[in-house]
């Protein structure tokens, strides 16, 4: 069992890590295939790595290079991905936010 101080420290660390995660996608790939070819889980993985990297929590370079036809910018907001997402993630809005952040880099 953890002491109250240790428990509080663990909770604080978890809160900090959670705040750096852009989206809670587990990569289950239920959203795939996207009719436009967007690799939704890979886009979200990169986005989360960027969030961790910007906050100093991710070690190593974040690879932003993957095929243009798989990028978030190709999303046409059809919603097929959200209809099957077991986590009910706001995929369309998140892909748009992700693209805005990437465009700003």
């Amino acid at each position: 069992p953890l002491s109250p101080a240790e428990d509080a420290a663990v909770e604080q660390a978890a809160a900090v890590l959670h705040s750096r995660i852009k989206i809670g996608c587990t990569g289950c790939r239920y959203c795939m295939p996207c009719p436009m070819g967007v690799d939704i889980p890979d886009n979200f993985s990169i986005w989360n790595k960027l969030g961790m990297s910007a906050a100093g929590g991710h070690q190593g370079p974040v690879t932003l290079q993957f095929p243009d036809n798989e990028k978030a910018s190709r999303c046409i907001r059809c919603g097929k991905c959200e209809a099957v997402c077991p986590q009910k993630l706001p995929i369309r809005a998140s892909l748009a936010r992700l693209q805005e952040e990437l465009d700003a880099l």
Side-chain angles (χ1 to χ4, degrees):
L2 297 176
S3 71
E6 291 170 324
D7 191 43
V10 168
E11 286 184 28
Q12 182 180 15
V16 168
L17 287 174
H18 184 69
S19 71
R20 294 178 183 168
I21 294 173
K22 301 285 189 168
I23 189 163
C25 174
T26 62
C28 72
R29 303 191 74 80
Y30 280 52
C31 56
M32 299 298 290
C34 167
M36 295 304 297
V38 176
D39 191 327
I40 297 164
D42 280 359
N43 273 275
F44 288 160
S45 176
I46 288 169
W47 196 26
N48 281 332
K49 286 177 185 173
L50 281 171
M52 294 299 284
S53 179
H58 178 73
Q59 300 302 315
V62 176
T63 302
L64 294 176
Q65 297 178 348
F66 60 105
D68 284 343
N69 62 334
E70 296 179 4
K71 292 183 178 180
S73 59
R74 303 228 343 131
C75 176
I76 59 168
R77 317 287 185 264
C78 70
K80 289 183 179 184
C81 53
E82 289 183 11
V84 295
C85 178
Q87 296 180 82
K88 307 294 184 216
L89 297 174
I91 296 171
R92 292 174 288 180
S94 297
L95 286 172
R97 267 197 343 261
L98 159 62
Q99 192 59 53
E100 287 173 7
E101 289 186 24
L102 291 177
D103 289 345
L105 291 179

